[in-house]
Amino acid sequence: MTKILVTGALGQIGTELAGELAARYGKSAVLISDVRKPASGDGGFEFASLDVTNAEAISQVLKEHGITDIFHMAAILSASGEKNPALAYRVNSDGTFNILEEARKAGINRVVIPSTIGVFGAETPRNHTPDITVLRPTTMYGITKVNAELLALYYRDKYGLDVRGLRFPGIISYLTPPSAGTTDYAVDIFYHAVQGKDYLCYLKKDTALPMMYMPDALHSLIQLFEASREKLRHCLEYNVSAYSFTPEEIYHAIRETYPEFRIAYEPDFRQKIAETWPASLDSHFAREDWGFKPMYDLKKTVDDMILNLRKILVHH
Ligand code: AKB
């Protein structure tokens, strides 16, 4: 029987992923875990308190719950990572090592680990960035994610562990706000517009970054999870993104619905991070190997974000 552990299940992606996995495999097939306790109930999910820096605790959870597969979503993102690099190293690098090592010992079937555009750096080609390229990031987040990618390859090649992953761009979503990444402005800007507030953007108006909408992010994780192993030429090095835009472009897209909406720019330390990341990605390996195909273009994303945020923020 399939029993899937989701680490970091209270985070931006984890929260929605748990629901998506439950819809597909049944609620009892999903064990959600996080270092924090769920503030507003566990949503009917079985919950385990789990700090991924504690290998013993991981081992216990895997055994106690008969875990067969893992989605390892726990991570400290780029902006928080610069504020607390030691914590980012512990959670992202030690945590990923612990997950892989305990998964190997427990004979776990599949381990899915998301990587990110954070692995790239100033020396990486900025446009149409390929999967296999220069990886010299300058953030602790990026360094730990390169480490995760290499560890995953090591565990796959040395031990035959089935590890899969993809490199996410910025993810736009309305249910759980992201926690301190560099791409978070692309979510915050909607919250401000829908609440009738002006927005002060911490990136420059012309900084293009690759992005995608949450339903496509979830769908791609599950597609990759279900893909046949023989077809996967890469391990975690699958770039995925649906579109790229600058703050000014998303601002104008939102102004079509909110013509009164105003934006101002005051770049901070996150601008430097964004400048080392690609403006656009080449996703052809993901398309060819496991059928990656985003459904939401920018217009559909903007319309759906506004529709849903209005329900949450205005009507309640
Ligand atoms: C961040 O901005 O840190 C994340 C990411 C792109 O990995 N959203």
Side-chain angles (χ1 to χ4, degrees), residues 24-247:
R24 212 155 167 93
Y25 302 105
K27 222 166 202 175
S28 59
V30 182
L31 174 69
I32 64 167
S33 73
D34 203 286
V35 70
R36 294 173 289 157
K37 301 254 172 328
S40 51
D42 51 21
F45 282 98
E46 226 181 316
F47 174 81
S49 176
L50 183 62
D51 175 354
V52 294
T53 66
N54 182 343
E56 185 52 38
I58 297 172
S59 159
Q60 222 170 334
V61 165
L62 298 185
K63 276 192 211 121
E64 236 169 63
H65 296 271
I67 298 299
T68 57
D69 300 274
I70 303 174
F71 279 77
H72 177 42
M73 310 304 291
I76 304 292
L77 297 190
S78 56
S80 328
E82 289 315 286
K83 291 191 182 138
N84 194 343
L87 177 69
Y89 191 86
R90 280 200 302 279
V91 173
N92 300 355
S93 283
D94 294 345
T96 300
F97 172 78
N98 290 340
I99 287 286
L100 289 167
E101 180 61 8
E102 297 311 319
R104 172 186 77 79
K105 289 198 246 166
I108 295 297
N109 295 335
R110 280 162 297 181
V111 183
V112 177
I113 305 179
S115 186
T116 155
I117 54 170
V119 295
F120 301 120
E123 291 138 287
T124 309
R126 257 183 85 69
N127 291 302
H128 215 58
T129 304
D131 289 355
I132 306 300
T133 184
V134 183
L135 302 183
R136 287 171 58 82
T138 42
T139 61
M140 183 54 92
Y141 175 61
I143 292 167
T144 60
K145 284 293 186 178
V146 171
N147 187 47
E149 290 191 358
L150 295 174
L151 277 175
L153 265 177
Y154 184 86
Y155 272 77
R156 187 195 69 178
D157 294 346
K158 189 170 173 90
Y159 302 113
L161 186 67
D162 186 346
V163 196
R164 305 147 178 232
L166 40 70
R167 293 191 185 122
F168 275 135
I171 305 294
I172 302 172
S173 68
Y174 57 86
L175 265 190
T176 308
S179 64
T182 301
T183 60
D184 296 6
Y185 92 85
V187 176
D188 283 351
I189 193 170
F190 283 98
Y191 276 78
H192 282 73
V194 172
Q195 290 175 301
K197 298 179 188 162
D198 295 347
Y199 185 61
L200 185 62
C201 184
Y202 56 78
L203 294 184
K204 289 186 189 161
K205 58 163 74 172
D206 58 354
T207 311
L209 288 168
M211 302 272 177
M212 80 200 270
Y213 196 34
M214 183 63 92
D216 284 326
L218 300 176
H219 187 232
S220 56
L221 276 173
I222 290 176
Q223 259 186 313
L224 177 60
F225 178 62
E226 293 180 348
S228 92
R229 194 176 180 180
E230 304 73 56
K231 296 221 169 106
L232 303 180
R233 286 173 285 178
H234 292 170
C235 192
L236 264 51
E237 309 88 349
Y238 282 110
N239 292 344
V240 293
S241 94
Y243 37 72
S244 294
F245 56 76
T246 64

